Every structure is written in structure tokens, then in C-alpha cells.
Amino acid sequence: CAKCFPNKQQHPHMQTSFEFDDCAGNEDVTFGVSDPGFHVDGDLNLVPLRDLPHSEPVLFIRGLSARADDLAQVDIIGTRGRSAETLGVSRTGLPYRSKRSLLVPNISISENERGPFPKFIGQLISTGEPREQIFRMTGPGADQDPKGLFTIDMNSGAVSVSRSVDREATDSYQLEVSTTDYSGNLIEGPQVFRINVIDQNDNRPIFKEPQYTGEVLEGSPTGTTVMTMTAFDADDPNTDNAVLRYNIVKQSPDKPSPNMFYIDAERGDIVTVIAPTLLDRETLPTTTYELEIMAKDMAGSEVGLTGTTTATITITDKNDHAPEFTHPLFEAHVYEGSTGVVVNLTVDDRDDPATAAWRAMYSIISGDPTQSFEIQTNPDNNEGMLSVVKPLNYEASEFLSLLIKVENEDPLVPDVGYGPSSTATVHVRVEDINEGPVFFPDPLIVTRMENIPVGSFVASLNATDPDILEKQSIRYAVLQDPAGWLSVNPVRGTVNTSASLDRESPYVYDNKYTAVFIATDNGTPPATGTGTLIIHLEDYNDNAPYVLPSVARVCEDTYDVTVAVVGGWDKDLPPNAAPFKIELGTQPDLDKTWNVTRVNSTHSQIRLLRSLKKDNYQLPLLITDSGVPPLSNNTEVKVQVCICNKNRMHCSSAHSHRARFLVPLLRALSYLQLLQLVIHRTQSIKLK
């Protein structure tokens, strides 16, 4: 007859009563509640032990005595997150009774609970006979890692936690529970239940970066977004524990206003508040502002945790200031004939240095028709370096006036223009110096025949003094004369030969001989100038021709063969060279052994008419050029008669003798002829 059911009345302080009757006076009855946040007092009231911001929607009350075992269900009416005073309880009795029923409610525990441990967190209820069954629990946190975090009383079904839990590590645990007999045979289950970890505000907001940097252009309109700050909170995003609000704690420096910037509390966007006219980079006390930014959770409430970071904002420059010369007039002095920097032009520009809005570009507007000047910008100080690139002439102009303009690399903003201070005048005074004489023409080119008599006239030098306002005399001298062929009159400048001119000299290149002369004036100090004389030498037939090659080879016992093809060579030029006439020498009977015939205008072939024995023979030849008058040259070709076998030639290494050349002929001549030849040869030797 045991009964357990809630009353139809509700206690005004979130407690509800119920009735239980075991038909024996309810002696030694114990009550268990599935949620450890509630207990049953002596008047059979279900009472919360503390304020409960969270609770499972269903509770179970179990009454157990020696005579009775009954279960009642309690429905909790309310929304999650409300206080205990606003929770309502719906009291309903179970619609039926079951002798074997495993009731497994979900359990909620708070993270970071303090001991002592183990701590009771919930009750699992079975309607089976308690003496015939035991509870078993498996899953992560029980018999799986992290092992031993949760335990269950095998007899009563009470669930306990052995240590504190961290929701940011694991926000819930899913386990299975079952009942078995003492032999391990399954009675009820397994059933799944979940232990949810309730979040506590134990994590501070953390910014993504330790320091943020941003830029905003000077003169930007109010409300311009500079940057966005972002922080994260590891707490439960579905609770206020992770709802962040942003705030600017401090601005440094705080001039001209401590509230130059504003941060959107929810989005973290930093925007400008200062008026555009005050956001002037050139008038602000600094171009860099540092903001201390704080993020607070709990939607910014006083109990919220905070995290901070620093935001550095740079006010960037725009080209709102034109460069201006520091002086309207600059002066420079330069010596005529010199080049290089003559004056540095200085400017002021209030824009940011080392930017295109500050870097200057200079140009010459007028006063330089010959383009003798140029201006380059010094990258270190932005000055304009005015340089002379073409030497100036004092006699042509002793004073110049240049108009210079300066601009920026970047264009100016629309409401700013270049004014009169962006132009300046430069007065350049040219200083006179004693300039050296100038040769004209330079080089002086003349044509002369080689081998003209020593002392012959070659050329007349002409040097003038550029200092036309002064009367100065000029003297000439030889500066470079590689072959030593020339002399010059120091006053008149006439050049004559002091030695014979030779076109074939190694000092002559491409038929041209080059000499350098110097002219010196009588100024203080004296100045000099140099001029070049180039003599184009015409050829004269002064070189006899010669033949090449000078050595030929032929096998012995061969005849009527070409021994060599020789060519004529001459240091002179046509028509004093080819065509050449090559013929045998005047010695008698040469034509009985040798024959020379013309191949072309420069070459002839030598043929052996009869066989000769191994020896070296000197063949006399006469070569004549085509000059007027022609030149001839008696020369010789060494003919080596060699023994030939197996494609190799064995030649005599002994010196040739002209007399030995006649030995083969003696065998065919009479004694008288031999005597005549000897007499003739003797006379020839004496003449030589």
C-alpha cells in the first residue's frame, strides 16, 4: 500500500511537500533526490539547499524503507539562468509503478568546485530490489580517461565527483549506467546519462595581439575607423561569462583632447572623434598616440574579468604644405671652364620627412638656354644641388640669372597650391681665368710623301688664346714625336722634318703618323693647350721585293716536277709592289736544271727539269716590282733534295753550298767548260 506523491500545494519559498505512506507508520524511511541541490526535510518538504541558477527540468524522489520502495517525479518549471526564487515546481505523481525501472536523470555540476572530495552530485534510482542488484557506471571519467573522475555507489546509485572539473577542458561527460546481480548478470540498462559542467567566469579576456598599430590620415572626417580590436574569452559563449565590452582606459598624450578616439563597446572598432581641422599632423603635439584598451566580460559589469592591450595610432601625412625656398635669391660664383656643384638651394616643407609629400623636385624655368646647369635633390636634407655640367665662358657671358621652381613628388591636395615662395632666383657670376690656347683645327691633317728631304715643310699650326680681352703671346713646342721626325718654330708654329719620313716605320699606323704639340701663353700663371698633327704618308718605291717561301723540298731521282710555288712580297704599296716578275738568276746553265714560270701577278712556280742527288741546293732568283723606277732583288731559295721512302723524306741537314749546286752538271760537261765555269765563279766571288 506504499504511496509517494506530491501535494497539490506549492510552498511560497520554492519548496513543495509530498506524502509517503508505507502502511506501517513510515518508520526508518530514507529519501533520496536525483539532484544533490535538493533534500527532503522532516516534514516531507522538497527544499533547495542553496540558490540554484541551474537545475535539471525533472527530479525524482525515492522513498525507501523495510516495507516500501516508491518513486515520485517532480517537474521544475522555470528558465535556465533564473534565480532560485523564481523557479516553480510542478508536482505530479508517477503515472504508474514498476517493479524494475532504472531512472537516470542528467546531472549538472559546477566547474572549479572546492573539496572535500569525493562530493555527492546526483542519485541514480532503480526500483529493483536493492539487495539483489548493484550499480555499474562506464565511460569517459569513470573507467576511461580521465579515469576515476566520477564514481557510483554500487549499492545506492549515488554519483560522486572525486576532484574539481574544468569546463574549458571538457564541458560534458556522457556515461552509461546499468544494474547487475552479484554474479555480474545484467538486470537493467545500460542507459546513457550526461554530466554537464556548469561554467564559471574563470577566464579573462585575451587580445589576439599584445600590441596593435594603426594609421589615420590627417584631416580625416570624424567617425573614420582606424582599426578593430578583438579579444577572446574561453568561457561559455552562451553565458555572460564570455560577453565582452571594450573601453579606452587611457590616451597618451591627452592633448589636444583626452577623447580624440572612441571605441565601439561591442564591436571593438576604434574611430576618430576629433574634428578634422584639429587632426592636423603639423600642429598636433605628436604624430603618435597610444591607447590603453580594456576588454571586460560579464557584458562589462563590475564583477567582470578584464584583459588589456595597447593600440598605437599614427597620424599619417598628406601633402597639404607646399615646399618653400628659405631665400628668394641665391648667389653663386663659378670659374669659367669648371664643372660641379656651385650652390645648394634650401627649402622648408612642413610635411612628413622622407615621404613623397616632403621630397622636393627642382627645375630650371628660365635663364639656361644652353642647358649648362642641372639640379639634383640631396636625399638626406632635401636641398637642391645646382651644378654646372657644361663649362661656362667668361668671355661669352660673365653673369647669368636662373629662375628655379621646386615641387613635391606627390601632388598637393586640391585646396593647396604652389605660391611665390616655391620659386627662387639664382645669380651666377662667372670668374675669369687664364685659359690655355686652343688649336684649330684639332686634329690638323696633312698629306706628305715619305722620304722627302730633311727640313721640308710639313704644316703650320694655328693656336689662339680664348682670353680675347687680354693680349697674350703664344709659343709652340713638340710634346710627342714618337719617331723624332719633326721640329716646330716656337713663334710661327711651322712644322718641318728633322729626319726622313718612312711610311714603313713601326710608328706609322694605317699610313698615318701622329704627333702632339703644345702651345703656351704668357699669362699669369701661364696656360697651355695641346693640338694633334696627323701626317698621311704617301708611298715611295723604296723597298725591294722578296720571295717566300725560302725553302723547298723534292725527292731525289725525280724530275719534271714542280718543286715550289713562290710569291713576291713588298713593303711598299701598289703601284710600287705587284705585279712581280720572278726569274732565274744570271748564273749560266741554270735553265738546264730549273724552270720558273708565272702563275699570276704575285706568284711563280719552280720546276725541276732533271733529277738530282740528295743534297741542299741554293737556287738564285731575281724578283722585280712594278714601281717607277722598278726595284729588283737577287735572292735565293733553298732546295732540299731528299731520299723518299714509305712516305717519309730524309733530307740533308748540312749547309748548302752554291758550288755543290753545279756538281751534277760537271758529269756532262767537258773539261774546258768546267774550267770556264770555275773561272766565272771565281770572278763572281771576288766581285762580292
Side-chain angles (χ1 to χ4, degrees):
C1 64
K3 296 180 180 179
C4 180
F5 59 92
N7 290 325
K8 300 303 181 181
Q9 300 177 353
Q10 182 173 348
H11 193 279
H13 297 292
M14 183 47 212
Q15 65 181 25
T16 185
S17 61
F18 62 91
E19 295 182 3
F20 181 83
D21 187 3
D22 67 350
C23 302
N26 292 344
E27 293 184 3
D28 299 326
V29 178
T30 59
F31 296 97
V33 185
S34 61
D35 190 329
F38 295 85
H39 80 289
V40 177
D41 63 11
D43 297 326
L44 300 185
N45 292 319
L46 180 64
V47 181
L49 298 176
R50 59 186 183 276
D51 288 344
L52 298 175
H54 304 282
S55 175
E56 296 299 329
V58 177
L59 300 179
F60 298 97
I61 304 174
R62 184 182 185 185
L64 181 63
S65 70
R67 294 177 176 272
D69 185 358
D70 198 12
L71 192 70
Q73 177 177 318
V74 179
D75 295 329
I76 304 298
I77 301 173
T79 57
R80 187 171 184 175
R82 294 169 56 187
S83 66
E85 287 75 15
T86 62
L87 289 176
V89 182
S90 173
R91 302 171 294 276
T92 59
L94 290 177
Y96 61 90
R97 297 290 184 266
S98 175
K99 287 299 182 182
R100 292 194 179 277
S101 176
L102 184 60
L103 302 177
V104 184
N106 288 335
I107 299 174
S108 295
I109 62 173
S110 178
E111 67 172 332
N112 304 325
E113 287 277 3
R114 295 184 178 180
F117 295 104
K119 178 179 289 188
F120 173 76
I121 60 173
Q123 179 72 48
L124 305 184
I125 300 173
S126 173
T127 59
E129 293 295 332
R131 297 179 180 85
E132 298 177 358
Q133 64 185 8
I134 59 176
F135 288 89
R136 297 183 183 275
M137 184 172 62
T138 62
D143 58 350
Q144 300 176 21
D145 289 334
K147 293 180 180 180
L149 180 61
F150 302 105
T151 59
I152 188 170
D153 187 289
M154 60 185 301
N155 295 317
S156 66
V159 180
S160 301
V161 63
S162 61
R163 56 185 181 272
S164 63
V165 295
D166 183 4
R167 189 205 68 85
E168 287 71 43
T170 306
D171 59 0
S172 67
Y173 299 85
Q174 183 171 298
L175 301 102
E176 291 184 351
V177 65
S178 61
T179 59
T180 66
D181 59 20
Y182 287 97
S183 298
N185 298 315
L186 183 65
I187 299 176
E188 296 170 312
Q191 290 192 30
V192 177
F193 79 102
R194 184 182 299 275
I195 299 177
N196 296 313
V197 182
I198 301 172
D199 186 44
Q200 286 188 345
N201 190 21
D202 59 345
N203 288 278
R204 294 181 179 275
I206 298 176
F207 284 91
K208 292 179 61 177
E209 304 292 338
Q211 186 170 6
Y212 290 76
T213 58
E215 295 179 348
V216 61
L217 188 66
E218 64 172 331
S220 296
T222 301
T224 300
T225 300
V226 181
M227 66 177 78
T228 298
M229 313 298 293
T230 304
F232 294 94
D233 195 308
D235 289 320
D236 189 351
N238 298 316
T239 68
D240 284 350
N241 295 341
V243 176
L244 305 182
R245 294 293 183 266
Y246 298 93
N247 181 42
I248 298 177
V249 178
K250 181 182 179 182
Q251 171 190 304
S252 179
D254 59 359
K255 304 295 183 182
S257 167
N259 300 311
M260 295 174 60
F261 304 95
Y262 165 79
I263 187 168
D264 186 285
E266 295 185 4
R267 294 194 302 269
D269 296 335
I270 298 179
V271 298
T272 59
V273 179
I274 189 172
T277 54
L278 297 179
L279 193 61
D280 185 358
R281 182 188 168 280
E282 288 73 35
T283 60
L284 290 172
T286 180
T287 59
T288 302
Y289 287 85
E290 188 172 281
L291 305 180
E292 183 181 345
I293 308 298
M294 180 178 68
K296 180 183 285 190
D297 60 20
M298 296 299 291
S301 69
E302 293 184 359
V303 297
L305 302 178
T306 62
T308 60
T309 189
T310 300
T312 301
I313 299 176
T314 300
I315 314 301
T316 57
D317 187 39
K318 63 181 180 181
N319 196 11
D320 55 350
H321 294 89
E324 298 179 346
F325 283 101
T326 57
H327 305 286
L329 176 65
F330 294 85
E331 293 186 352
H333 296 264
V334 57
Y335 286 106
E336 65 172 332
S338 64
T339 59
V341 178
V342 295
V343 66
N344 290 318
L345 309 177
T346 55
V347 295
D348 285 332
D349 195 319
R350 298 173 62 190
D351 291 313
D352 186 12
T355 65
W358 175 81
R359 289 192 292 268
M361 299 186 302
Y362 298 86
S363 58
I364 301 174
I365 299 177
S366 62
D368 185 25
T370 59
Q371 297 182 345
S372 299
F373 297 88
E374 72 173 15
I375 305 179
Q376 294 182 342
T377 303
N378 187 324
D380 297 327
N381 54 25
N382 218 27
E383 293 181 356
M385 300 181 293
L386 179 64
S387 302
V388 176
V389 293
K390 294 181 181 179
L392 303 176
N393 187 357
Y394 172 82
E395 286 72 26
S397 178
E398 58 182 282
F399 177 81
L400 297 168
S401 180
L402 307 178
L403 184 60
I404 310 297
K405 180 181 180 180
V406 62
E407 298 175 299
N408 288 131
E409 290 184 5
D410 272 358
L412 295 173
V413 295
D415 57 340
V416 177
Y418 293 101
S421 297
S422 295
T423 59
T425 302
V426 179
H427 287 169
V428 180
R429 295 192 178 277
V430 183
E431 304 290 344
D432 185 31
I433 62 172
N434 184 26
E435 300 174 83
V438 178
F439 283 83
F440 182 82
D442 188 22
L444 174 61
I445 302 176
V446 298
T447 300
R448 295 292 181 267
M449 178 72 70
E450 66 171 331
N451 294 333
I452 60 176
V454 175
S456 297
F457 172 78
V458 177
S460 180
L461 303 178
N462 179 29
T464 59
D465 196 328
D467 299 309
I468 58 177
L469 301 181
E470 300 181 14
K471 294 182 179 181
Q472 299 182 143
S473 61
I474 297 175
R475 295 183 64 84
Y476 300 91
V478 177
L479 184 63
Q480 295 179 9
D481 180 15
W485 292 341
L486 304 174
S487 63
V488 62
N489 185 289
V491 178
R492 296 191 301 271
T494 54
V495 179
N496 295 80
T497 61
S498 58
S500 179
L501 306 181
D502 184 7
R503 191 196 65 83
E504 293 77 30
S505 168
Y507 298 106
V508 176
Y509 303 95
D510 193 23
N511 303 321
K512 298 180 181 67
Y513 180 73
T514 301
V516 180
F517 296 85
I518 186 171
T520 306
D521 64 20
N522 61 345
T524 305
T528 61
T530 59
T532 301
L533 172 64
I534 298 177
I535 305 173
H536 186 279
L537 293 174
E538 294 181 338
D539 186 42
Y540 179 81
N541 193 19
D542 57 348
N543 290 279
Y546 57 95
V547 296
L548 289 175
S550 60
V551 178
R553 287 183 176 184
V554 66
C555 295
E556 72 172 350
D557 298 330
T558 59
Y559 61 92
D560 197 19
V561 295
T562 298
V563 175
V565 175
V566 294
W569 300 88
D570 199 318
K571 293 182 180 180
D572 293 318
L573 298 175
N576 296 322
F580 299 109
K581 180 180 180 182
I582 303 175
E583 54 189 338
L584 291 173
T586 58
Q587 289 85 341
D589 299 321
L590 289 177
D591 56 354
K592 293 181 180 180
T593 306
W594 307 95
N595 175 256
V596 177
T597 58
R598 183 171 181 171
V599 176
N600 53 34
S601 63
T602 57
H603 289 72
S604 296
Q605 67 176 356
I606 301 174
R607 293 183 61 82
L608 177 63
L609 302 179
R610 55 194 306 170
S611 61
L612 298 176
K613 294 301 181 179
K614 176 184 177 183
D615 210 336
N616 294 331
Y617 301 87
Q618 294 296 127
L619 175 62
L621 295 177
L622 176 67
I623 180 171
T624 305
D625 62 22
S626 297
V628 180
L631 290 180
S632 298
N633 183 24
N634 287 301
T635 184
E636 293 179 341
V637 174
K638 180 179 180 180
V639 180
Q640 292 182 300
V641 178
C642 310
I643 298 175
C644 302
N645 53 33
K646 295 182 180 181
N647 298 324
R648 296 187 63 183
M649 300 182 72
H650 300 277
C651 304
S652 175
S653 60
H655 295 291
S656 301
H657 301 285
R658 294 182 179 87
R660 294 180 59 189
F661 180 80
L662 302 177
V663 171
L665 300 178
L666 295 178
R667 298 171 181 173
L669 296 177
S670 64
Y671 176 79
L672 181 59
Q673 291 174 322
L674 177 60
L675 181 59
Q676 290 176 345
L677 287 175
V678 172
I679 294 173
H680 177 74
R681 186 64 176 167
T682 302
Q683 291 175 346
S684 299
I685 294 173
K686 288 181 178 181
L687 289 174
K688 293 182 178 181

